[in-house]
Amino acid sequence: MTRIRKRNRDRNKLARRSPAPTAPAAPARGWTDGLSDVSIAGDPLAFPHLARTDLPRHPTTVAGHARLIREIAADRARWEPLVRYDALTRWYARLETGPGYEVWLLSWLPGQSSGFHDHGESSGVMTVVQGELIERSLTRAGEGARTLRPGGQRVFSSGYLHEVVNGTLEPAVSIHLYTPGLTEMNQYGGTAVPEQHPQAQAEAH
């Protein structure tokens, strides 16, 4: 009969006393394929172009349009290099378009005028960014006039009838937003007041 060595007997006793090790449980998967959006595309916060917070928001209200005009007016580096003057006619250039609106930059040499006109179905906001302009408006209550200077705004509704003129000896520049985008501009004589013409909107500062 073969005798079991002592060290083997001790090893067998140790094996009987210690429980057999168990395999670790498999981690639970939150996705059927075991992959998350982060593991596929990476952490969005690590890539600024995937987590932008400066995307422009197009305005849809009168207050939003007025805010946009103020922001553009304050950004002289954006519009000032574009300004041109034309001795034969008013100069203008489109600055921006968005869903349901457009923004225009206009220059006015001394004596240049728009004539009395409306903007069809478009309403809008205007502001002077350089020099001074005079606005004359016509309503059933009569004619009104006001001086437009940098920092002020005019908000007007569709069908609003007015004339804008540079009555000073210095050039002027203004920014205008129309919503919807301007598709018609009806000219009137100095005394023509459409019967359906609405009252002018209040001046905003």
Side-chain angles (χ1 to χ4, degrees):
M1 180 175 181
T2 305
R3 183 174 180 176
I4 300 176
R5 296 179 182 179
K6 185 175 186 298
R7 62 176 180 272
N8 290 338
R9 291 199 304 268
D10 294 342
R11 188 176 299 169
N12 292 338
K13 289 179 182 179
L14 182 61
R16 288 194 298 268
R17 292 174 184 173
S18 302
T22 57
R29 292 182 175 181
W31 293 266
T32 56
D33 58 1
L35 299 175
S36 68
D37 292 341
V38 172
S39 66
I40 295 172
D43 182 359
L45 298 180
F47 303 93
H49 69 282
L50 297 178
R52 290 185 59 187
T53 59
D54 62 337
L55 293 176
R57 294 184 178 181
H58 295 292
T60 57
T61 64
V62 173
H65 293 144
R67 175 186 55 78
L68 176 60
I69 286 292
R70 286 195 300 271
E71 291 176 353
I72 294 176
D75 188 2
R76 296 187 69 90
R78 176 179 180 182
W79 57 263
E80 197 168 37
L82 303 177
V83 175
R84 303 288 184 273
Y85 297 99
D86 190 327
L88 299 180
T89 183
R90 290 180 300 127
W91 176 91
Y92 52 90
R94 188 156 51 190
L95 277 179
E96 180 176 322
T97 59
Y101 74 88
E102 59 185 12
V103 181
W104 291 84
L105 178 68
L106 280 73
S107 72
W108 311 74
L109 287 172
Q112 288 185 335
S113 168
S114 67
F116 278 101
H117 66 281
D118 66 28
H119 307 102
E121 297 301 317
S122 299
S123 57
V125 184
M126 68 169 289
T127 187
V128 174
V129 292
Q130 181 178 307
E132 293 184 3
L133 294 172
I134 297 173
E135 182 201 32
R136 300 188 182 101
S137 58
L138 285 178
T139 70
R140 284 172 295 198
E143 181 178 336
R146 59 186 56 81
T147 300
L148 307 178
R149 300 182 176 90
Q153 288 185 331
R154 287 290 295 155
V155 179
F156 52 88
S157 62
S158 58
Y160 180 54
L161 180 59
H162 72 157
E163 175 188 33
V164 179
V165 58
N166 183 356
T168 73
L169 298 178
E170 299 294 332
V173 179
S174 58
I175 297 176
H176 305 240
L177 180 148
Y178 301 102
T179 177
L182 194 61
T183 57
E184 61 178 318
M185 184 172 167
N186 303 305
Q187 297 289 149
Y188 297 89
T191 58
V193 182
E195 294 183 0
Q196 74 276 14
H197 175 67
Q199 295 292 329
Q201 299 293 314
E203 186 170 6
H205 294 280

